[in-house]
């Protein structure tokens, strides 16, 4: 009897110790999620994701955590008070894995919130706008992910081919504004359908990807590109990802930096006039069709017009030997700081962010950034705001205190302005989404 009793106690202990350890780890994770969620809530309307994101019915949620485990982005979802919440909405890029994993159907994917809407072009299921013959795909539709952009490009090329619209003699059948992932996929799809294509791009093939820092890792999943094949790697660098489409598209599609021509053509579809015979497909827009964030948002502080101020980072080498400061707290700002620090050429790399926690970035990006911060290669200035930029320093305000920070270069990464007004002038109707699909 005593032996059986001891064996039973041993089994209970063997099962109980891991359970206790697991519950403690879960409790810590829930506490961290609650802290991040509380910090994000203080942002108010600024915490609304610009793209598709999950809405959780808290009355239906059973707190299983299936959505948290399914989300590919660490720290976006969390369990607080026994229910799942979107604790870091600004890091969500619309994978939709959470919705599929929820066992009780408590998650739906929506744009905007009930208190703050998001303006998007009014599109048919085939991505056609209110101007016949003009299609919009890619980031401007409110969908994140390179994979989504390439899928839309492939789908819209089939729609265009089926519509039978063709250009006049000497004109292309399809004019694509923007050579980003969506534009490249659309071009390849149209070429595969036997259509002639002209791509207008203000800079280089790759669009948004081409403007990423060189060291940025791009999460892609499997990509199917017409005429190129399937790219099955889930993690690729900027260079390996951006070369896939351009390599196969350059030989077949002409390019031009004069994207403003598409605006003039688009206007012929307004005011009841007959639409032009050539189809215009707006992918990742260039100068006259800006991407969703449009023009870079500025700080609005004295000295921002100095030559040392920039709004993007392509290569870290020009910053060698300089004291660089990145301003912002999202993925773009973190990517810049990481690229500068890992290149190792800067005299110093700082990151100024107005919040006290770095909660607006993807988990993998935050992990890399925190490793550099812990190693002393990036200096965080959290809870700070830049109030003035001078040739050899910047002035940071933290609470009621101000201080000067030695500085030779400032990179501002605080988002941009939406191109709503420009789309309206072209004649494209917009719709405001408030917590709806």
């Amino acid at each position: 009897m005593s032996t059986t009793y001891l064996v039973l106690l041993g089994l209970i202990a063997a099962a109980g110790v891991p359970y206790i350890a697991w519950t403690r780890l879960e409790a810590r994770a829930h506490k961290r999620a609650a802290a991040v969620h509380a910090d994000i809530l203080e942002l108010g309307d600024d915490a609304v994701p610009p793209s598709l994101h999950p809405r959780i019915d808290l009355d239906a949620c059973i707190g299983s955590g299936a959505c948290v485990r399914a989300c590919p982005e660490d720290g976006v979802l969390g369990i607080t008070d026994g229910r799942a919440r979107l604790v870091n909405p600004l890091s969500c890029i619309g994978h939709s894995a959470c919705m599929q994993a929820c066992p009780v159907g408590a998650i739906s994917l929506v744009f905007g919130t009930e208190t703050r809407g998001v303006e998007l072009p009014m599109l048919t299921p085939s991505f056609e706008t209110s101007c016949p013959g003009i299609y919009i795909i890619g980031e401007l539709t409110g969908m994140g992910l390179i994979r989504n952009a390439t899928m839309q490009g492939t789908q819209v090329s089939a729609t265009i081919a089926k519509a039978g619209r063709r250009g006049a003699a000497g004109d292309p059948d399809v004019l694509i504004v923007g050579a980003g992932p969506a534009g490249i996929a659309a071009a390849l799809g149209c070429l595969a359908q036997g259509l002639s294509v002209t791509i207008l791009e203000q800079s280089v093939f790759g669009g948004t990807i081409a403007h990423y820092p060189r060291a940025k890792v791009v999460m892609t999943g499997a990509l199917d590109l017409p005429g190129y094949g399937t790219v099955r790697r889930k993690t690729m660098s900027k260079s390996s990802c951006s070369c896939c489409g351009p390599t196969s598209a350059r030989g077949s599609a002409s390019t031009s930096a004069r994207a403003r021509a598409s605006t003039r053509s688009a206007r012929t579809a307004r005011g009841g006039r007959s639409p032009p015979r050539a189809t215009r497909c707006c992918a990742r827009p260039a100068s006259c069709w800006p991407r969703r964030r449009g023009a870079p948002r500025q700080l609005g502080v004295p000295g921002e017009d100095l030559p040392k101020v920039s709004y993007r980072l392509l290569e870290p080498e020009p910053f060698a030997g300089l004291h660089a400061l990145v301003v912002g707290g999202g993925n773009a700002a973190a990517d810049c700081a990481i690229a500068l620090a890992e290149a190792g050429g800067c005299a110093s790399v700082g990151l100024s962010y107005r919040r006290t926690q770095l909660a607006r970035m993807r988990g993998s990006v935050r992990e890399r950034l925190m490793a550099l911060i812990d190693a002393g290669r990036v200096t965080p200035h959290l809870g700070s705001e830049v109030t003035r930029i001078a040739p050899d320093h910047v002035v940071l305000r933290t609470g009621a205190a101000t201080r000067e920070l030695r500085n030779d270069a400032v990179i501002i990464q605080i988002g941009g302005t939406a191109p709503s007004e420009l789309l309206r002038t072209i004649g494209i109707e917009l719709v405001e989404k408030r917590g709806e699909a």
Side-chain angles (χ1 to χ4, degrees), residues 33 35-56 71 73-78 85-95 110 112-113 116 293 330-331 353 359-362 366:
V36 172
H37 189 226
D39 188 63
I40 286 292
L41 287 176
E42 292 183 11
L43 288 172
D45 287 345
D46 289 338
V48 178
S51 60
L52 197 66
H53 62 278
R55 179 178 60 191
I56 302 171
C71 180
E73 307 299 328
D74 182 46
V76 172
L77 293 165
R85 297 179 189 274
L86 187 61
V87 297
N88 190 358
L90 295 174
S91 293
C92 179
I93 52 178
H95 282 284
V110 300
T113 68
R116 182 177 182 182
R293 298 199 177 188
N331 291 314
Y353 181 41
R360 296 183 59 183
M361 56 192 68
R362 298 168 67 174
R366 183 168 57 250

Side-chain angles (χ1 to χ4, degrees), residues 163-255:
R165 300 166 66 88
R166 299 294 184 267
D171 292 334
D173 297 320
V174 184
L175 179 63
I176 298 177
V177 183
I184 291 173
L188 293 174
C190 289
L191 292 171
Q193 298 281 352
L195 303 175
S196 60
V197 176
T198 291
I199 301 177
L200 302 183
E201 172 56 58
Q202 66 178 350
S203 54
V204 295
F205 269 90
T208 300
I209 298 177
H211 297 299
Y212 286 157
R214 184 177 59 195
K216 179 176 176 64
V217 174
V218 180
M219 304 298 293
T220 62
L223 301 179
D224 293 312
L225 295 174
Y228 183 86
T230 301
V231 182
R232 297 190 181 279
R233 288 176 293 173
K234 291 187 177 181
T235 303
M236 290 193 292
S237 66
K238 162 196 168 179
S239 57
S240 60
C241 184
S242 61
C243 72
C244 293
T247 299
S248 54
R250 278 181 177 148
S252 305
S254 59
T255 62

Side-chain angles (χ1 to χ4, degrees), residues 310 312-313 315-324 340 345-347 409-411:
S310 57
R312 69 182 182 184
L313 170 70
E315 305 294 345
E317 285 77 12
F319 296 86
L322 303 180
H323 294 277
L340 291 172
C346 293
V410 177
I411 305 173

